[in-house]
Amino acid sequence: MATITLQGNEIETIGNLPENGSEAIDFLLVATDLSTKKLSDFSGSRLILNIFPSIDTGTCATSVREFNKRAAELENTKVLCISRDLPFAQNRFCGAEGIENVVMLSDFAAGRFGKDYGLEIVTGPLAGLHSRCIVIIDENGKILYSEQVNETADEPNYDAALKAL
């Protein structure tokens, strides 16, 4: 269990992020077209998992915009933006913002991703949502880097994440 904060107040997650060097855990998430996606669908590509509580918050939206901008410059790399938001909300946001370089995925249906990756919030007002995390996976499915942002309202360390690639 990890302890993070929301506006300075401690909240906890269900576990801890997978360790660097470990095998990435398979997932089943829903895309904005309502198709299902799993880890093997992205096989052979490096992955940046940009994980956050909700696209309808300022920091979450900023992280999607920032990775969308930076993803255009990356070779053999896909950015997967993952939350518990409905795919309709994710699609609306991307359309309104002109977001085209990231893949939006929702954990609303199965709800296993947050549990399996140890990042689901279990206490406080955001219980049931994902904590803000970055996980970098290489083209062979190994985790190269992970960050769980200590204060939920803060942005992730984009430079450190991209350096891990």
Side-chain angles (χ1 to χ4, degrees):
M1 189 173 286
T3 301
I4 56 175
T5 59
L6 174 63
Q7 298 174 334
N9 299 304
E10 288 189 356
I11 57 176
E12 295 176 331
T13 64
I14 199 165
N16 294 300
L17 291 175
E19 293 187 25
N20 293 350
S22 67
E23 203 59 43
I25 302 164
D26 199 10
F27 53 74
L28 189 63
L29 299 167
V30 181
T32 57
D33 64 1
L34 301 181
S35 64
T36 55
K37 300 290 182 188
K38 51 190 175 192
L39 183 60
S40 62
D41 291 331
F42 304 99
S43 152
S45 295
R46 300 180 305 174
L47 300 175
I48 299 171
L49 308 185
N50 176 34
I51 308 154
F52 49 86
S54 175
I55 195 63
D56 288 322
T57 67
T59 306
C60 300
T62 297
S63 73
V64 173
R65 287 185 203 105
E66 185 65 24
F67 276 119
N68 182 66
K69 183 172 62 175
R70 293 184 183 214
E73 304 165 1
L74 302 173
E75 290 186 33
N76 193 35
T77 304
K78 294 185 180 358
V79 178
L80 310 182
C81 295
I82 304 168
S83 69
R84 300 279 323 258
D85 292 298
L86 290 175
F88 312 111
Q90 294 174 334
N91 196 40
R92 172 193 42 81
F93 173 81
C94 289
E97 296 281 334
I99 304 290
E100 298 177 342
N101 298 319
V102 301
V103 178
M104 299 297 286
L105 297 170
S106 175
D107 189 27
F108 89 97
R112 290 292 328 154
F113 177 83
K115 291 173 178 59
D116 291 345
Y117 274 74
L119 53 85
E120 181 177 308
I121 298 170
V122 293
T123 61
L126 299 182
L129 297 179
H130 296 155
S131 59
R132 186 174 320 286
C133 301
I134 302 296
V135 177
I136 306 291
I137 303 172
D138 73 11
E139 54 276 356
N140 299 311
K142 296 276 187 209
I143 295 178
L144 297 177
Y145 171 89
S146 63
E147 172 193 9
Q148 184 166 54
V149 178
N150 290 326
E151 168 55 50
T152 304
D154 292 345
E155 292 179 57
N157 187 337
Y158 304 108
D159 293 332
L162 294 172
K163 185 178 180 184
L165 289 172

